PDB file of all heavy atoms in Angstrom:
ATOM      1  N   ALA A  34     -55.722  38.004  41.192  1.00 98.00           N
ATOM      2  CA  ALA A  34     -54.520  38.126  42.018  1.00 98.00           C
ATOM      3  C   ALA A  34     -54.783  38.989  43.244  1.00 98.00           C
ATOM      4  O   ALA A  34     -54.327  38.681  44.362  1.00 98.00           O
ATOM      5  CB  ALA A  34     -53.380  38.702  41.185  1.00 98.00           C
ATOM      6  N   ALA A  39     -55.926  39.216  49.252  1.00 98.00           N
ATOM      7  CA  ALA A  39     -56.816  39.518  50.373  1.00 98.00           C
ATOM      8  C   ALA A  39     -57.243  38.244  51.103  1.00 98.00           C
ATOM      9  O   ALA A  39     -57.435  38.244  52.321  1.00 98.00           O
ATOM     10  CB  ALA A  39     -58.045  40.274  49.868  1.00 98.00           C
ATOM     11  N   ALA A  52     -67.670  36.158  60.733  1.00 98.00           N
ATOM     12  CA  ALA A  52     -69.085  36.260  61.100  1.00 98.00           C
ATOM     13  C   ALA A  52     -69.512  37.718  61.236  1.00 98.00           C
ATOM     14  O   ALA A  52     -70.584  38.119  60.760  1.00 98.00           O
ATOM     15  CB  ALA A  52     -69.335  35.503  62.404  1.00 98.00           C
ATOM     16  N   GLN A  60     -76.507  43.837  57.188  1.00 98.00           N
ATOM     17  CA  GLN A  60     -77.093  45.107  57.619  1.00 98.00           C
ATOM     18  C   GLN A  60     -77.048  46.138  56.500  1.00 98.00           C
ATOM     19  O   GLN A  60     -77.992  46.925  56.320  1.00 98.00           O
ATOM     20  CB  GLN A  60     -76.344  45.638  58.850  1.00 98.00           C
ATOM     21  CG  GLN A  60     -76.943  46.898  59.452  1.00 98.00           C
ATOM     22  CD  GLN A  60     -78.405  46.739  59.830  1.00 98.00           C
ATOM     23  OE1 GLN A  60     -78.816  45.687  60.311  1.00 98.00           O
ATOM     24  NE2 GLN A  60     -79.209  47.787  59.612  1.00 98.00           N
ATOM     25  N   VAL A  88     -84.961  39.992  48.071  1.00 98.00           N
ATOM     26  CA  VAL A  88     -84.008  40.784  48.844  1.00 98.00           C
ATOM     27  C   VAL A  88     -84.043  40.381  50.313  1.00 98.00           C
ATOM     28  O   VAL A  88     -82.999  40.272  50.966  1.00 98.00           O
ATOM     29  CB  VAL A  88     -84.284  42.282  48.659  1.00 98.00           C
ATOM     30  CG1 VAL A  88     -83.407  43.104  49.602  1.00 98.00           C
ATOM     31  CG2 VAL A  88     -84.029  42.696  47.214  1.00 98.00           C
ATOM     32  N   ARG A 123     -60.261  18.844  59.635  1.00 95.00           N
ATOM     33  CA  ARG A 123     -60.885  20.166  59.591  1.00 95.00           C
ATOM     34  C   ARG A 123     -60.999  20.652  58.159  1.00 95.00           C
ATOM     35  O   ARG A 123     -60.176  20.308  57.301  1.00 95.00           O
ATOM     36  CB  ARG A 123     -60.062  21.171  60.409  1.00 95.00           C
ATOM     37  CG  ARG A 123     -59.877  20.800  61.862  1.00 95.00           C
ATOM     38  CD  ARG A 123     -59.117  21.879  62.600  1.00 95.00           C
ATOM     39  NE  ARG A 123     -59.860  23.126  62.646  1.00 95.00           N
ATOM     40  CZ  ARG A 123     -59.334  24.296  63.059  1.00 95.00           C
ATOM     41  NH1 ARG A 123     -58.064  24.356  63.430  1.00 95.00           N
ATOM     42  NH2 ARG A 123     -60.068  25.379  63.070  1.00 95.00           N
ATOM     43  N   PRO A 163     -74.989  38.837  31.977  1.00 97.00           N
ATOM     44  CA  PRO A 163     -75.046  40.227  31.496  1.00 97.00           C
ATOM     45  C   PRO A 163     -76.369  40.921  31.783  1.00 97.00           C
ATOM     46  O   PRO A 163     -76.389  42.117  32.098  1.00 97.00           O
ATOM     47  CB  PRO A 163     -74.794  40.075  29.988  1.00 97.00           C
ATOM     48  CG  PRO A 163     -73.937  38.852  29.878  1.00 97.00           C
ATOM     49  CD  PRO A 163     -74.460  37.923  30.933  1.00 97.00           C
ATOM     50  N   PRO A 246    -109.325  19.992  43.714  1.00 96.00           N
ATOM     51  CA  PRO A 246    -109.013  20.567  42.393  1.00 96.00           C
ATOM     52  C   PRO A 246    -108.688  22.050  42.440  1.00 96.00           C
ATOM     53  O   PRO A 246    -107.687  22.486  41.868  1.00 96.00           O
ATOM     54  CB  PRO A 246    -110.279  20.284  41.579  1.00 96.00           C
ATOM     55  CG  PRO A 246    -110.944  19.150  42.266  1.00 96.00           C
ATOM     56  CD  PRO A 246    -110.635  19.311  43.716  1.00 96.00           C
ATOM     57  N   ALA A 317     -93.115  30.056  20.170  1.00 97.00           N
ATOM     58  CA  ALA A 317     -92.760  28.932  19.298  1.00 97.00           C
ATOM     59  C   ALA A 317     -93.115  27.606  19.952  1.00 97.00           C
ATOM     60  O   ALA A 317     -93.535  26.653  19.267  1.00 97.00           O
ATOM     61  CB  ALA A 317     -91.270  28.977  18.971  1.00 97.00           C
ATOM     62  N   GLU A 325     -97.955  19.258  16.920  1.00 95.00           N
ATOM     63  CA  GLU A 325     -97.920  17.871  17.374  1.00 95.00           C
ATOM     64  C   GLU A 325     -99.293  17.329  17.751  1.00 95.00           C
ATOM     65  O   GLU A 325     -99.406  16.192  18.239  1.00 95.00           O
ATOM     66  CB  GLU A 325     -96.968  17.736  18.574  1.00 95.00           C
ATOM     67  CG  GLU A 325     -95.500  17.882  18.226  1.00 95.00           C
ATOM     68  CD  GLU A 325     -94.585  17.533  19.402  1.00 95.00           C
ATOM     69  OE1 GLU A 325     -95.062  17.484  20.550  1.00 95.00           O
ATOM     70  OE2 GLU A 325     -93.389  17.298  19.169  1.00 95.00           O
ATOM     71  N   VAL A 347    -100.963  24.118  27.637  1.00 98.00           N
ATOM     72  CA  VAL A 347    -101.192  23.238  26.490  1.00 98.00           C
ATOM     73  C   VAL A 347    -101.727  21.902  26.973  1.00 98.00           C
ATOM     74  O   VAL A 347    -101.239  21.349  27.971  1.00 98.00           O
ATOM     75  CB  VAL A 347     -99.882  23.025  25.704  1.00 98.00           C
ATOM     76  CG1 VAL A 347    -100.052  21.938  24.648  1.00 98.00           C
ATOM     77  CG2 VAL A 347     -99.443  24.334  25.055  1.00 98.00           C
ATOM     78  N   THR A 390     -90.207  17.753  42.189  1.00 98.00           N
ATOM     79  CA  THR A 390     -91.531  17.241  41.860  1.00 98.00           C
ATOM     80  C   THR A 390     -92.469  17.537  43.020  1.00 98.00           C
ATOM     81  O   THR A 390     -92.095  17.341  44.184  1.00 98.00           O
ATOM     82  CB  THR A 390     -91.512  15.724  41.604  1.00 98.00           C
ATOM     83  OG1 THR A 390     -90.607  15.429  40.549  1.00 98.00           O
ATOM     84  CG2 THR A 390     -92.892  15.206  41.229  1.00 98.00           C
ATOM     85  N   GLU A 451     -60.956  18.992  53.143  1.00 95.00           N
ATOM     86  CA  GLU A 451     -60.657  18.422  54.449  1.00 95.00           C
ATOM     87  C   GLU A 451     -59.158  18.188  54.622  1.00 95.00           C
ATOM     88  O   GLU A 451     -58.495  17.639  53.731  1.00 95.00           O
ATOM     89  CB  GLU A 451     -61.421  17.112  54.629  1.00 95.00           C
ATOM     90  CG  GLU A 451     -61.543  16.683  56.070  1.00 95.00           C
ATOM     91  CD  GLU A 451     -62.584  15.604  56.256  1.00 95.00           C
ATOM     92  OE1 GLU A 451     -62.505  14.576  55.534  1.00 95.00           O
ATOM     93  OE2 GLU A 451     -63.476  15.783  57.092  1.00 95.00           O
TER      94      GLU A 451
END
Side-chain angles (χ1 to χ4, degrees):
Q60 185 56 38
V88 173
R123 302 183 64 191
E325 289 189 343
V347 171
T390 302
E451 199 165 53

